[in-house]
Amino acid sequence: MLQTSRIALRARHDSDVPLLHAELHDDVATRSRADTRPWQPVPPGSPQSPFVVKPDDDRAACFSVVELPSGELAGEALLWGIDTHNRVAHLGLALRPGFRGRGLAADVVRVLCRYGFTVRGLNRLQIETLADNRPMIRAAAGAGFVAEGTLRRAAWVCGAFVDEVVLGLLAEDWTDEPGA
């Protein structure tokens, strides 16, 4: 298991899916800000739930985030769009509402970087997030990500176009030290 003193990333369990689906997918306003695809209703227990891990998908590494020491399911984390030829991937995470605002995202980003760079041998990790998503931008900056650009009015979110920020981190610039 990959972890810090506050969180652990572990394989997604089937028992995680209903809670993640209820708190992260069915919250339309939040999900619309976190996914570039339009929100659509998906029934509980459906194999189309975005939290169901697809077997044999080498382009994504999906984790459940567990808060330590309580062991409670705090959210999801993933590397997606993994390109083994160019050794790049995109990083994403979502925390359940009760776990937001505690600084856990910074730990999740650091652990995903450790996984991407040291386990998968990637050269570059990238985050795309809405320009007003200050918690994600802070968490990424704390792990060493740098803002590489703004995609003006690139995301359609609940009736309006909003800016996206692209942040990147190279393996050569990464350090596993918090805040370094």
Side-chain angles (χ1 to χ4, degrees):
M1 195 168 0
L2 301 164
Q3 65 186 57
T4 67
S5 63
R6 298 179 338 143
I7 61 97
L9 300 186
R10 63 159 169 76
R12 178 87 37 84
H13 297 169
D14 289 340
S15 60
D16 297 340
V17 174
L19 186 55
L20 293 173
H21 190 90
E23 291 195 24
L24 298 178
H25 178 76
D26 289 345
D27 177 354
V28 178
T30 299
R31 186 68 185 183
S32 295
R33 293 178 52 78
D35 197 328
T36 58
R37 298 166 294 192
W39 184 89
Q40 295 184 29
V42 176
S46 168
Q48 274 65 49
S49 171
F51 304 102
V52 172
V53 177
K54 315 300 190 262
D56 301 322
D57 184 0
D58 62 350
R59 295 192 38 84
C62 300
F63 299 95
S64 286
V65 178
V66 176
E67 183 186 43
L68 299 176
S70 73
E72 285 187 75
L73 178 65
E76 72 153 345
L78 67 154
L79 292 184
W80 58 276
I82 299 171
D83 177 341
T84 56
H85 176 72
N86 292 304
R87 296 175 46 202
V88 300
H90 301 264
L91 183 151
L93 67 99
L95 296 176
R96 294 174 49 212
F99 293 89
R100 296 176 191 153
R102 299 185 193 179
L104 298 177
D107 285 24
V108 173
V109 170
R110 282 197 310 277
V111 175
L112 282 173
C113 289
R114 186 181 315 142
Y115 174 75
F117 292 134
T118 65
V119 176
R120 297 296 293 258
L122 298 174
N123 182 57
R124 174 185 168 78
L125 293 174
Q126 181 170 311
I127 297 171
E128 300 87 9
T129 191
L130 300 180
D132 66 353
N133 187 351
R134 296 287 168 231
M136 185 61 173
I137 293 169
R138 268 193 311 275
F145 281 80
V146 296
E148 296 179 331
T150 300
L151 304 174
R152 297 179 313 137
R153 309 272 192 259
W156 178 254
V157 179
C158 295
F161 285 105
V162 297
D163 294 350
E164 282 187 323
V165 176
V166 177
L167 303 119
L169 178 61
L170 301 177
E172 65 196 52
D173 298 330
W174 174 71
T175 179
D176 202 10
E177 300 298 319

